[in-house]
Each structure stands twice: as structure tokens, then as C-alpha cells.
Amino acid sequence: MNRVIDDDESLRPALTDLAFHIVIALGNGPAHGYAIGKDVEEQSGGRLDSSTGTLYQALHRLKEEGLIASAAPPERSDERRKYFQLTERGRRAAEAEARRLHALVRTARKRNLYPQRA
Amino acid sequence: MVRLYRWLIRLSPAALRREYGAAMEETFARRLNDARASGFSTSVRVCGRELAGLIELLLSERWGAPARLRRQRQRMQSRGKAGHMDAVGREIQHAARRLVRSPAFTLAAVLTLALAIGANAAIFTVVYRVVLNPLPYPDSDRLIALDYGFPTRNINSGVKYMSWQLYYQLADRARTLERVAVYNISGVTLTGTGGNPEQIQISRATPSLASVLRVEPALGRWFTEQEGVPGSPPPVVLSHGLWVRRYGRDPAIVGRSLTVDGLPTTVVGVMPASFAFPNARTDAWIAAQSTRGTASFLFTVMGVARLRDGTTVIGARTEMTQLIADLSRVSPTQRGWISTAIPLQDAVVGQIARTLWILLASVGLVLLLACANVANLFLVRSNARQREVAVRQALGAGSRGLAGYFLAESVLLSIAGGVIGLGLSWGAVRLLVAFAPVNLPRLEEVRLDASVLAFTLALSLLMAAAFGAIPWLAPLPASLHESGRSNTANRGRHRARHLLMGGQVALALVLVVFSGLMLRSFQKLRTVDPGFDARSALTFRVALPDREYTSRRSAVATHRAILDRLSAMSGVTAASASTCLPLTASCFGNMVVPEGVAEDGTHRPWVTFHAVAGGYFEATGIRLLRGRFIDRGDVERGEPVVVVNKALADALFPNQDPLGKRFRSATRPTSSLNTPPWLEIVGVVPNTPVASLAEPTPAAQLYMPMSIAGGPDIPGGTLLGPSVSKMSYVVRAATPPSNLVAAVRTAIGEIDPNLALFEVQSLEDILDRAAAQMAFTMILIIIAASVALMLGVIGIYGVMSYIVSQRTGEIGVRLALGADPARVAGMIIKQGGLVAIAGVIVGLGLAYAGSRLIASLLYGVSARDPAVFATTTVLLLTVALLACWLPARRGARLSPLEALRTE
């Protein structure tokens, strides 16, 4: 019951809000914790301004699930910094999540809960 | 602040600290810098948030779900097999939590199982220790009890007594026997150091007994061959019980002198605590003394032997029968006897084995009933769990996972039931031992041991497996969508529930029928006319030591003096004595010969002799059929008169008036002693039981004046009658018998202060004891049947209540549409009633088929007695319908609105 389903990302449970934002932040390429946190805050319009502890806990989870991985730091960077990058699996999970949200928006549109596309 | 943050990070789990500690510190530092640029309040807010976030992270990582998940993963990764064990342990943990959350279900299931398992364990303990466990002697399967039959006299087997002559014949010439021993049982008075004069039970045994049984005394030694020859006083070996009780475990007891029946004897040994031959009441063994030359032909001893290696019981019987035939050429009283020796274990256990197996089967039926009840509970519960199970299936749980889900619960319930049941059985065994009839063999060996524990564990695991299979019997829906909606699955579960309910009715009926048969049997046994009046009469035995009362005359005079004193006591309406009372077996017996018939030693009835004082029949309340009783004058004058019972009169003088006819005790034609005198029949009395109330054929009995019977100065070979040294007294009074005891002791003490009373009991006690074994069996079966009935009723009530709750909506609709509540109730009762009737039919079939098995326990009633079958069936059907009616009535009383709302 605790095994993560490897094969079909569409069947995995939805990403949390913070996790999805982190994955999107890494869509541009590898980044360290501080930068990721800043990106998430920007993407969410200040809504997701989590503490360092919460951020790194989420990063740790995503790493354990295989959606992100440690990345090699660039030359002459602060050696304390830890860099992360998106894995292929993480990319697929982000895609699936985006698709799910897109479908939800379509349904909301059909029910007049969300403005139609211009 | 960064330092504080750094210090707090140190509290996090090592792996997290190693991987992210530095990065977190750096990120915090940068954020703090940013915050400082925005102002003091922002800095404070950010600091607070950061610290709170870190503390939350620490707590979560150390003790929260992530920590648990991590530990789990570590365990699964480090050892593959341990991961599996981990899953099992987890499953059991979850199951335990689920059970704790449903206390009503858990309590009901555990208690039901505990009761049933406990009952089974208790009866199994008795069966195992009494019937199955080998006797406590080395190679006990090679031991045989010497038993005899006389086919031409319709005695197929069961005669335990033999003669010394036959003992020597077998000891000298039997090749199939390694060793033979003979023994008897008697009561003696023990005086000397240790306490007051005490009546104890002893066994006089040949020195060969110890080597036959292959036992050794715990202290001292057994008898030597020399001590088995007359010449010096025979030594005595004490039992462990007597040594502890009377001599306080005195280590110097060996070599001490005791006085037994007035004669000094020396203690040569003490047997171990576990030795109980021939029974647990034996207090001591005295060397039996005899020689080949003076060997008696009287049947006064019992025999036991050890088979030689490689021989069988049948082979030994054949050889012994041949040796008896050889012996009969020189000793005609042996003619016609055959050997019917049986394994000693069978002789010791006797008829009780069958009874015990039947009792075990009965509690087995109760266990099945309990299982049906618990299975129903499980079915209801699995219904409620549909959604949870469906979720598990959706998440990928295979059949193994689901089996684990159910099995974990059933294992926990069964183990809990087993443990509590074991505790209950310990108490039940103690009760059984305390209240069992005293003549239950090997009772002293009954106790809980490792085999009972193993039996209980096996039973519990069997239960666990059975309940774990419930889901497969009543299949669950295949998916979440189907849960609660599948008609097929619902129907399957209904069918299973009805099947269980019907099964319970059937099993309960079987037990109720059997208990009805036992009850009827017991009633019949108690209404058997014992031939005497058991009310308000005290009995006791007095033994006159041969040393002081050396002749028959002095013994008779003493008994008469005692009786005179007893008759003079206030409240006493009659007092008399006899050498043996009804229902106390081992009376003197011999063949008799009617006058005018040639003596050939065969085809003559075996008769039990009673030597009585005057007024015996009045004291015991035995009626007179014809003629007159023996009175005091007959005893004083030593008249050669006799009163016979109907059985003897019919055997000797069929279709004739026996009064005035004569017969005498039969002796060997070659005997050099005087022939016994002819005895004239002066009266006929009804038959009275000799050994048990349920005797298939009444025993022939005669009553003679004690002054013409045997005595200490009369050689046994004259076969005049029983020795009057030991007599059983009967004192009838207006007051309860127990009130007389003290006065009786005083009266006897005035005649001779050294005389001891023993076997003090009322005639009522004797009668009760005769029915004790049947009463005991009957009570146990009635208890089993009552429990079965109760479980059955609970089961039916439970199922019907559940059905009503399931049909609440339908009931509501019907009531709302104006249906008569009585008709609605009737509809429900019909559903339950049909199942109950089906169960009754099956139960009747089972009871009919199985009734032959309990026929051996019954008395005076056929195992297929129609009245019992009919009564019990009606009783069960009534109770079952009541159990259906109560929930139906409740359902029909619901307001339609309520009923519909529930749906």
C-alpha cells in the first residue's frame, strides 16, 4: 500500500500546491533553495510564502518521490547552497497536474464558473 | 539569530541535517537579510515564521508521519523477510485497534468462544487423563487384568475373583505371562503410634506385584518372596498419603512396628505419591501369604499379570483357559471357567470411557454452535466493513491482503477466547474433580497439562482459520461502486446467515433431545423400587478384631449386645445388622444346591449370602412377599432357616411354592470338611439390587441367621456363609440419621471402647451413590444442552434482529401503505420460522441417527423414545419462534415515518 506507482503518472495522487509550484519553478532549470522559494512566492502572488523549514521539507519529499534530484552546483557558488533539478518523472508529473487543472478549468467554464476564453 | 537557527537545526534527524542543514542555514540568513531591509516588524515576523517553521519541521521529522514512514521504509529495505513480518505485525496492530473500537462485537465474540473452548478443554482434560493417558507404569500396555467368564452359566466375562490355586497354576505354567500377582482389598483397623485407631483400606498382595507393575518404593523396600510364605507376621508397605497424613513424613518410619487388626506388623517401605494400585483409596499393602500346598480354592483374590514380550492378550487368554481346564481335573470348582483377560487400562477405565467420549462430543456440538454465533457476528461486521475493504481493493490489495485483514481479527479473537477459555477450564476441571462420583477411575490423575494447552491452542487456531474464511463464504463486492448495492452479494450473505441459523437450531435440538433422554433415564432409575425403604435410616460398619473375638459365638453375642443398646436409644424404631447391605457389592457368594438334586457343580445359581441379626427386614424396610422374616429367636437358637428373594425362589423352585423347601451351600464333592446343613425356606422377599440400580437381571440372594454363618473359628472352606466378624448395622429412627451418630458411637463404646465405626452413611446416601454416575453424566449433558439452547436463541434473535433492521425500509413502506402490523410481523416470523423448521428437521434426523451412540448411557428408556423427541422438538420450536417473534414485533411497531427515515 505504500509503494509509489511507477508506471502511470496519471494515477498518482495530485501534487500539493507548494509541490506543484516548486516543480514549475524548476521548469526553467536547476535552482537552489532560496531561489526556488523566491520563485514560488512570485508565481503565487505572495500567497505561498512558506518558511525555510516548510520549503526544504517539501523539497525533501519531492526528492524522495523522485520528482526532483540534486544538481551539480555551478562553479564559484556558495558551497552551502544545495541545487535541485527536475527529473523526467517530475516533468511528467508536472504535465499530468497541469492537464488535470486544465480539465478542471474547462469544466468550470462549461458551468459558467469561469470566464470563457476571449 | 542565525546561530540560534543553526543550533535548532542540530536537533533535526542526522540524515536531514547532513543533507540540508547548511543550505537551510544559508537560505535563512538571506531571507533574514531581505527582511531586515523591509523594516523591524517584517524582520520580527519573518524570524517568528522561520523559527516556527523549523520547530514544526523538527517535530514532524522526529515523531510525525514522515518519521514513521521513514522507519518503515528503512525496515523494509534492510531485510526483505523482516519486511513481511513487519506487514504481519502491522496488520495485527490494525486489527487490534479495530477490535478495541468495537467493544460490543469483540466482547460478544471473545466470551462466546471462551465459554465453548473452555468447556471443550475441561472435558478433554478428563478424557485425556482418564482414558487416553497410559497407566503410570513402565510398558503399561503389556499389563493385563485377569478376568473370567462362565459361558454355560450365561456369564460371558466380568468375574474378577480367582483362587490361590489358579494363581499358582498360572505362575508356574503360563508361558505367555512374564509374571503374575494376586491381591485383594479389605478394611482393617490401624492402631499404635500416629493417632487414634483408624479404619484404613489395605490391599494384601503377593510379593510379585512390584515386579509385575515394575514399581519400587520411594523409601525402604517391597516384600521379599520369603515374606509371602506363612510363618512370620507379614510386613506392611505404606502409601505416600498415609505416611504423610498419620506419620508426618517421618523419615524413620521404615522398621517401625504398627498394629493392624490387633496384630503387630513391621513397616518395610513407603510407596511413591503417584502409586495408586488397585485404587487411590489404598492406604497400605500387606504381604499376602500362602503356599502351594495350602492354596485355597475359594475365589477370594483378584489377579494382574504382565505379558511376555511378543505375546498378545488373545494368546494369553487361550493359554490361561487351557490351564484352568487342566486345573479343574484336580479342583472341580474351576470347571467351566474361561479366561477373558483384558488390558489393565481397559479394566481400570471401565465403562466410563464411553460416557466421557459422549460428553466430549456434546461439548463439541456446543463449540460448533458458538462458532455459528461468532460467524454470524463476523458476517454482520463484514457487511459494515464493505467500504473499507473496497478501498483496500482499489488501492491494490490482493486476495492475500484481504485474507490478512480478516485473518488478523479472527486470530486475535480466537487467541483471546482460547486464553480466557483455558482459565475457565482450570476452574471447571477443579469443579468436575470435586463433584465427580468417587468411583470415577483415575480421578486423582486429572489435571491440566501440556497436552491440554496444545489442544486449546489447536482449537483456537482452527477457530481463527474458520472465521478468517467467512469472507470467502459470503463474497464481498468487487469494487467500491458495487459496495452496498450488489444484489447477488447480499443474497449470498443472507443465504449464509440463514444456513448458520438453521445449523444452530439443528445442533441445539440434538443436544436438547439427548439431555431429555438422560433426564428421563435418571427419573426411571430413581423410581426403580430398590426393594427397601431408604428414608431415615443410618448405616455403619463395625469390625470385631479376630484376636479379641475369636469365635463366631463371641462375635454374635457382641453384635446382639450392641443391637440391644441401639434399640434402647430414644427415637430408634428398629436396629439390626447384616454382613452386607443392598447396593454395596462384594458380598459373600456361593452356589447352592436344592434338596434332592445330585451335586455336579454346574447349572446352579450363584447366590449372594447375607448373615443377618433378628429384625433386619423391619430395619431396612424390605417387604415380605410370603411366609415370615428371620427373627431374634431364630438367631438365638441357631435355626437352620433362611429367607430367599424372589429371584432365588424362581431359580431353585420355579412355579412351585418355595416355603418349606430346602437347599444348601454347594461344596466340592472331594471336600473332607462337613457338608453345610440343609436350610429351610421360611420366607420370600422382593429382589434388591446388589451392585447397581440398573442391574439387567436381579441377583439371587438369601438371608440366614448370623449364628449359623461363618466366623473366625469356622474354616472358610466349609462355605457355611460370610464371616460375622464384620457387620453392617442399620438403625432406623424418627430423627434424621446424622443426629444419631454421636449416640451410636457412645453406645458401642460402652460395649468395647476399642471398636471403631466406619463407612457411616444413611441408606439414602447409598441409594444416591448408586445413581451418582448417571446423575453426573446427566448434569453435564444438561449443562451443555442449556448452553446450546441459550447460544441458539441468541443466534436466532441476533439474525432476526439484523434481518428486521435490513428490511426496515420495506416494513416502513408496507406500514405506510396501511398494512396490518400483525401481518407484517407474521411475514417476518414466517421467514425465520421456515429456517427454524428446516433446522428442526435436520436436527431430528441427526438426533435419530446419533441416538444409538448414547444408548449405553440410558436406563429404562429407548434411545428413540418418541415422547422425548416430541417434547423437546416442541420446546425448541417454541423457543425459536419466540426468538423470531420478538424482533418481528419490534419491527412492526415502528412508525412508518421512522422506518422510512432509517432507510
Side-chain angles (χ1 to χ4, degrees), chain B residues 181-204:
Chain B
V182 290
Y183 61 95
N184 66 12
I185 302 173
S186 57
V188 296
T189 312
L190 184 64
T191 46
T193 53
N196 296 326
E198 185 183 344
Q199 194 74 17
I200 59 169
Q201 183 178 293
I202 61 147
S203 176
R204 272 177 223 276

Side-chain angles (χ1 to χ4, degrees), chain A residues 1-3 5 32-38 41 48-61 63-64 68 70 78-84, chain B residues 5 16 19-20 22-31 34 45 49-50 52-54 56-57 60-61 66 69-70 72-73 76 90 392 395-397 401:
Chain A
M1 308 273 173
N2 291 313
R3 283 177 41 224
I5 300 166
H32 56 78
Y34 175 76
I36 293 172
K38 267 257 170 292
E41 197 190 334
L48 281 180
D49 185 17
S50 37
S51 65
T52 308
T54 310
L55 177 68
Y56 275 87
Q57 195 170 32
L59 285 167
H60 181 56
R61 290 285 158 273
K63 192 167 175 228
E64 278 194 326
I68 64 175
S70 299
D78 188 337
E79 62 187 26
R80 291 177 302 171
R81 288 183 194 168
K82 199 159 168 68
Y83 283 79
F84 300 91
Chain B
Y5 200 81
L16 196 77
E19 194 163 0
Y20 304 110
M24 283 171 71
E25 194 189 320
E26 191 259 341
T27 307
F28 171 73
R30 283 179 78 163
R31 282 180 166 193
D34 294 346
R45 187 177 51 81
R49 188 195 68 194
E50 289 294 317
L54 181 58
E56 193 191 320
L57 168 73
S60 165
E61 287 300 311
L69 269 170
R70 206 177 28 247
Q72 239 163 40
R73 224 173 292 128
M76 281 165 69
R90 214 180 27 242
R392 282 195 174 216
L395 286 175

